Amino acid sequence: MSKSTDIQAAQLQLESTVPKKDTLDAEITQFLEENNYMIQYEAVGFLNKDNFKDKVLILQENDEESKSLQRLTIILLGKKQGFELYKKSYTIMPPEYNDDNYKAFDTEDVEIEKNKIIFDLYAVGPNGHISFEFIFQNNDLQLHEFTGYFMGAGSHTEYIYTPKNQTNGILKETTINTMEDEMPSTTKSYTIKLESPPTFESFDYKIFLDELFRQFGDKQ
């Protein structure tokens, strides 16, 4: 069976086993044990606009051979008693390792701050520094900002995408010339129209970045 088939089978199983509502800590523990998951990262804060703390959990299969597989991210909204499953994604947090067993990013972080979930991924190598935020508004999670910073020979380049609405936004490209002592920079702006609104459930930063590059490349 191929790796992609294994992932699809696991996803179908998880669709039926992830707790759907009124999730208590004991139920989360049971879910982790039954599906061989461990909590890799946990963020706590106020995501929606009530007085109950919410959680974001990044789950990794508890198996050395599965580090290159997709991780499961779940959002739990706090209730008067326990938590309720709000959203889940198999793509928003990339696999920790690539197929050659190299770690994709040196540091990874997720946090909840001011009604936003912030993902921060940093690598010294070509993967660069990736940061993206989803904000809770209109009872949904919407992309709030995306940043990519890449260091190359002779220059550093930063890309910042700011949405105007669900499918339209502005991309700013700033290039820093590191070959000169003053390190001068130039900034260009591009109008972007996405093919479809980015959703928390299906967001993949590589696919999103490729679409940005394809669009502003056509405008140059």
Side-chain angles (χ1 to χ4, degrees):
M1 184 180 290
S2 68
K3 180 177 290 187
S4 61
T5 304
D6 289 339
I7 292 173
Q8 291 174 356
Q11 289 179 358
L12 289 174
Q13 180 186 12
L14 286 167
E15 288 289 342
S16 61
T17 56
V18 173
K20 292 296 187 296
K21 60 181 180 180
D22 297 333
T23 307
L24 303 174
D25 289 341
E27 290 174 306
I28 285 292
T29 301
Q30 181 181 355
F31 167 73
L32 296 175
E33 291 175 352
E34 290 179 352
N35 294 276
N36 196 33
Y37 269 108
M38 59 175 283
I39 298 176
Q40 190 173 28
Y41 302 109
E42 178 177 348
V44 179
F46 296 98
L47 181 61
N48 58 352
K49 298 176 181 178
D50 60 18
N51 295 320
F52 304 107
K53 286 187 177 180
D54 310 305
K55 289 185 178 183
V56 177
L57 303 180
I58 310 296
L59 307 183
Q60 172 77 278
E61 287 192 54
N62 198 13
D63 186 343
E64 286 296 321
E65 296 181 358
S66 66
K67 288 185 176 181
S68 62
L69 298 180
Q70 293 171 311
R71 288 179 276 188
L72 173 60
T73 300
I74 61 176
I75 301 175
L76 303 173
L77 296 183
K79 300 297 180 182
K80 190 173 183 179
Q81 289 187 327
F83 297 89
E84 179 179 76
L85 178 68
Y86 173 59
K87 286 185 184 292
K88 60 182 179 289
S89 174
Y90 301 96
T91 58
I92 197 163
M93 195 67 164
E96 185 177 8
Y97 288 79
N98 61 24
D99 291 337
D100 296 320
N101 205 33
Y102 288 103
K103 199 167 185 178
F105 293 95
D106 299 296
T107 62
E108 302 174 325
D109 187 48
V110 59
E111 61 182 25
I112 299 174
E113 182 179 303
K114 297 179 180 179
N115 305 115
K116 294 180 292 186
I117 301 177
I118 304 170
F119 294 84
D120 193 82
L121 312 171
Y122 174 77
V124 176
N127 287 336
H129 183 187
I130 303 295
S131 177
F132 48 92
E133 307 173 355
F134 277 80
I135 190 169
F136 188 94
Q137 60 185 14
N138 300 323
N139 200 36
D140 195 11
L141 283 174
Q142 299 176 3
L143 183 65
H144 182 255
E145 186 175 87
F146 178 93
T147 301
Y149 190 90
F150 304 94
M151 295 183 290
S155 66
H156 297 175
T157 306
E158 180 181 55
Y159 303 95
I160 300 178
Y161 175 79
T162 306
K164 284 184 169 182
N165 53 44
Q166 293 280 1
T167 56
N168 296 276
I170 299 296
L171 177 68
K172 290 187 177 181
E173 176 194 26
T174 299
T175 302
I176 303 170
N177 185 344
T178 58
M179 298 296 288
E180 299 183 22
D181 292 338
E182 297 81 5
M183 291 200 297
S185 65
T186 57
T187 299
K188 299 178 181 178
S189 294
Y190 307 92
T191 300
I192 300 294
K193 183 174 178 58
L194 301 174
E195 294 178 358
S196 60
T199 66
F200 182 90
E201 292 90 338
S202 63
F203 188 82
D204 182 318
Y205 90 87
K206 287 185 177 180
I207 294 175
F208 184 78
L209 194 58
D210 285 345
E211 182 174 0
L212 294 181
F213 284 169
R214 184 173 64 253
Q215 287 208 31
F216 86 76
D218 293 340
K219 299 175 186 292
Q220 289 182 321

